[in-house]
């Protein structure tokens, strides 16, 4: 049998889990203090729900679960779908279904926390996981831009709480971007593709963008207008707004940016970024992303998805969320050599089997203040103590004629 | 799209997650105090690992993940296996692989905690989940019966910590049982089937057992001997030992039972139970199960599996574990109407959008001591306050000309 975990999945050692638990706990306490509540959804979802979710490229990355028993036999003989379920690729789709199912038991707007695993069938490669954790907060049932402010301020606070300082929040609006593209002459049916290309500006440069636009658009004039807009360096919100007949999305973004700045005394660096798109097809308004100089790519991302819950309910419910890429935070802190503050003193209590009753009773008393591991003496005791010290115990104790003796380690 | 979670899976509301988090946290702190450390393994495993794991009936309940891309096309055209991965059905198989993969970075014996989800494709029915949480502790790398004592004492303490009082730990030994069956004339190849039948004594009664044994064994004399042994009420450890040429398993059980009693001053009710088998094929020695009058069936179970890690390493590594059926504990406490001790005061701070900056700054100060949810005033404010009170907030605050006023709720 194979001893390695599946490619793109991880075994976490005790000290890695301690770091992960500490980071997740810290993020959770910031979220909870801000009035968000933890909810939980299943890891598996109906495959139809996933297929219809407008998850963009992620829909190509679904782990699908084979039908079972008679239904599998039927599918194999009649050529119908082999799968009936899939592993969730994000926490937003299950949350939308959850809200549709449970809204009568939630306060509206609902402020939800999810910190949980998701799965994507990425091509295995270094740093790209197929199973990973996301830490999401969402506000469901309100169209007010106060939600965006609340999410941005709270997410920034959570990132600070885990030691992220050097980050910038990029913000854009889907409606603003599509309005601008229409004003520049991009046909409606080419909008999505053009957005994908513009989003690659920092990866492929303006020449790469021009080349790709050439494959998507026939009108050279439109391509040149797009490239002129992008080539001049970052487009300001005012410059973008100048193209728009409907100023509402730009004014909304301005209000969000100004309010975040006022609430935090400018403590959250926030930039308008016309090339920010985010891959998911379900976003409808403001989208945001946190970038850090310590990591290539985003460490958090989110946006407004006012039409996703409507796919379940038949009536639209506005919603917006912000997700921290937990694995990226872990990677940054691991690279820094960060170790979480120790929780309690760790003591190894060594004993011979015939001393177990005395040892176990003594351990139970010490557990008022310490974590105490009962460790049977086998082999050479000196070597055992060496292994215990190397493993990071703070002290070891032994059963002696005088009772329990405790000796410090690692001093 | 479908709004219900898949059959056999659950959406958990905030108050349910609060209960689950509290119970898991309480169990975890008992485990940690006893020197166990949390580790984490992937939810998905290589399908070959699962298929070869001797998981008993659970192997019929695997959620299998379809191959992707070219490999799926190949499989569909050449008839090879459609699946390459599966969702874990328990935490013991991944742990065994984990130990094989990571033992050089662990202390031996390793004391591991896993609290995590597992999946089984059970036929959907009330109270039988397809996705559920187990809380396991395991000791890997030691054959000493001190491990069984440590696990039993620690699991009993964890159960007490979450309010379970009225339980009994049943204990048996696979080797003792198979030795006894051999002594009574049961052929080796019929042993497993006979064990399964004997395990059903409390479900199908002695007549049911006799009937099923008739299908498994040809020798009426053997069947009568078995029924005579079982019919007389519980078989004592001494009575069982009398049949055995090799007394070691019985003496080992006796030592475990006596030591648990001595360590806990008889505080853990422990009974020898010859009919206790546990479904998993991988158990090799002592097996145990916790039963409570508050729940039909076991609330925890475990045993020794000295040959499972060997399937990965080629050399056997002794191991033993104890798993709390977390969902059953949750169900019992939910039925009791238990609510976890509240963590922090919860305040709703109500504001109009143009007051957001003042409100958000005030909220941030209150968050030193309270969880504060910023809630925008929409609709009738009286009704909003009613909903907030019904939802369980301890107080609400408002932005007024005099500053922030706080009023208690639910008094």
């Amino acid at each position: 049998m194979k001893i390695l975990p599946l490619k793109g999945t991880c075994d976490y050692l005790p000290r890695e889990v301690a770091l992960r638990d500490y980071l997740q706990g810290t993020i959770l306490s910031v979220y909870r203090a801000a009035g968000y509540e933890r909810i939980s959804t299943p890891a598996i979802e109906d495959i139809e729900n996933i297929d219809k979710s407008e998850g963009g490229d992620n829909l190509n990355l679904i782990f699908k679960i084979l039908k079972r028993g008679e239904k599998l036999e039927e599918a194999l003989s009649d050529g119908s779908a082999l799968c009936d379920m899939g592993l969730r690729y994000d926490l937003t789709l299950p949350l939308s279904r959850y809200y549709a199912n449970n809204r009568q038991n939630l306060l509206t707007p609902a402020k939800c926390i999810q910190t949980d695993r998701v799965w994507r069938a990425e091509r295995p490669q270094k740093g790209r996981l197929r199973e990973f954790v996301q830490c999401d907060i969402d506000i469901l049932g309100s169209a007010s831009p106060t939600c965006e402010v609340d999410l941005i301020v709270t997410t920034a606070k959570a990132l600070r709480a885990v030691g992220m300082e050097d980050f910038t929040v990029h913000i854009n609006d889907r409606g603003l971007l599509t309005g601008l593209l229409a004003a520049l002459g991009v046909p409606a049916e080419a909008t999505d593709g053009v957005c994908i290309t513009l989003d690659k500006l920092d990866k492929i440069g303006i020449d790469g963008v021009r080349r790709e636009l050439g494959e998507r658009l026939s009108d050279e004039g439109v391509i040149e207008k797009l490239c002129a807009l992008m080539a001049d360096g970052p487009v300001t919100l005012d410059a973008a707004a100048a193209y728009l007949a409907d100023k509402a999305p730009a004014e909304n973004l301005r209000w969000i940016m100004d309010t975040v700045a006022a609430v935090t005394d400018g403590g959250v660096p926030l930039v308008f970024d016309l090339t920010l798109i985010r891959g998911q097809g379900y976003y409808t308004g403001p989208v945001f992303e946190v970038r850090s100089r310590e990591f290539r790519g985003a460490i958090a991302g989110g946006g407004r998805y006012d039409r996703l819950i409507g796919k379940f309910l038949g009536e639209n419910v506005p919603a917006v969320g912000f997700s921290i890429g937990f694995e990226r935070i872990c990677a940054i802190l691991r690279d820094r050599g960060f170790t979480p503050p120790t929780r309690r003193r760790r003591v190894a209590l060594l004993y011979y089997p015939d001393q177990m009753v005395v040892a176990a009773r003594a351990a139970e008393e010490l557990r008022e203040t310490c974590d105490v591991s009962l460790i049977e003496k086998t082999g050479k005791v000196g070597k055992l103590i060496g292994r215990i010290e190397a493993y990071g115990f703070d002290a070891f104790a032994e059963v002696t004629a005088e009772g329990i003796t405790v000796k410090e380690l690692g001093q």
Side-chain angles (χ1 to χ4, degrees), chain A residues 12 20 47 61 129 181 210 215 278 292 315 331 341 354 358 403 408:
Chain A
Y12 294 107
R20 296 169 69 83
I47 196 72
L61 303 176
L129 294 174
L181 294 183
R210 181 178 285 110
E215 294 162 20
R278 307 283 307 155
S292 158
E315 66 181 283
D354 62 359
V358 178
E408 298 305 306

Side-chain angles (χ1 to χ4, degrees), chain A residues 132-404:
Chain A
F132 54 98
V133 167
Q134 294 188 325
C135 300
D136 288 21
I137 41 177
D138 292 79
I139 304 181
L140 306 125
S142 167
S144 168
T146 56
C147 301
E148 276 85 343
V149 174
D150 200 319
L151 291 171
I152 291 169
V153 170
T154 305
T155 299
K157 192 178 169 194
L159 290 171
R160 293 256 160 77
V162 294
M164 297 289 110
E165 286 296 339
D166 193 13
F167 63 80
T168 310
V169 180
H170 291 238
I171 187 165
N172 193 12
D173 185 289
R174 278 277 169 91
L176 183 153
L177 183 63
T178 52
L180 179 65
L181 294 183
L184 291 173
V186 175
E189 68 278 11
T191 305
D192 286 359
V194 168
C195 285
I196 290 169
T197 296
L198 296 185
D199 194 29
K200 294 184 186 166
L201 182 65
D202 46 354
K203 285 183 200 148
I204 62 177
I206 191 70
D207 292 334
V209 166
R210 181 178 285 110
R211 206 175 315 121
E212 264 198 45
L213 288 178
E215 294 162 20
R216 298 188 186 277
L217 299 167
S218 50
D219 186 332
E220 279 296 327
V222 174
I223 295 174
E224 280 317 309
K225 273 193 230 167
L226 282 168
C227 289
L229 182 75
M230 311 296 287
D232 256 15
V235 183
T236 65
L237 182 52
D238 288 340
Y243 287 88
L244 300 171
D246 175 10
K247 308 283 186 207
E251 282 163 12
N252 190 52
L253 275 194
R254 174 62 65 207
W255 191 88
I256 293 169
M257 295 174 73
D258 288 349
T259 310
V260 169
V263 165
T264 62
D265 277 330
V268 176
L270 197 58
V271 294
F272 170 70
D273 180 350
L274 184 67
T275 65
L276 174 70
I277 289 160
R278 307 283 307 155
Q280 290 80 348
Y282 50 64
Y283 286 133
T284 54
V287 287
F288 18 86
E289 190 168 286
V290 180
R291 295 184 193 160
S292 158
R293 268 198 270 166
E294 291 184 79
F295 196 89
R296 280 176 63 90
I299 57 170
R304 183 166 277 285
Y305 49 100
D306 283 348
R307 286 193 290 269
L308 192 51
I309 298 169
K311 287 172 170 272
F312 293 98
L313 278 182
E315 66 181 283
N316 280 333
V317 174
V320 55
F322 211 157
S323 172
I324 292 181
F326 182 71
E327 307 300 341
R328 294 171 180 187
I329 306 297
C330 286
I332 291 170
L333 288 169
R334 211 167 38 226
D335 288 351
R336 285 192 201 161
F338 175 83
T339 47
T342 44
R343 223 175 40 87
R344 299 218 302 170
R345 219 166 113 77
R346 292 176 64 211
V347 178
L349 202 169
L350 312 183
Y351 69 100
Y352 290 106
D354 62 359
Q355 301 169 324
M356 187 174 199
V357 176
V358 178
R361 285 167 169 274
E364 205 46 35
E365 280 179 35
L366 291 169
R367 282 174 188 143
E368 293 286 319
T369 54
C370 309
D371 292 346
V372 183
S373 183
L374 282 167
I375 298 180
E376 190 182 325
K377 289 180 179 174
T378 52
K380 297 219 169 114
V381 172
K383 281 194 177 173
L384 176 61
I385 293 169
R387 290 206 308 275
I388 284 164
E389 178 157 24
Y391 196 70
F393 278 91
D394 298 305
F396 76 95
E398 283 182 287
V399 180
T400 66
E402 288 77 45
I404 306 293

Side-chain angles (χ1 to χ4, degrees), chain A residues 58-72:
Chain A
N58 291 333
L59 296 192
N60 303 321
L61 303 176
I62 307 307
F63 284 116
K64 295 179 180 174
I65 295 170
L66 200 66
K67 287 179 179 170
R68 297 148 304 281
E70 284 172 22
K71 288 189 177 162
L72 175 59

Side-chain angles (χ1 to χ4, degrees), chain A residues 67-78 80-81 84:
Chain A
K67 287 179 179 170
R68 297 148 304 281
E70 284 172 22
K71 288 189 177 162
L72 175 59
E73 283 166 36
E74 277 172 36
L76 285 170
S77 68
D78 70 8
S80 60
D84 54 357

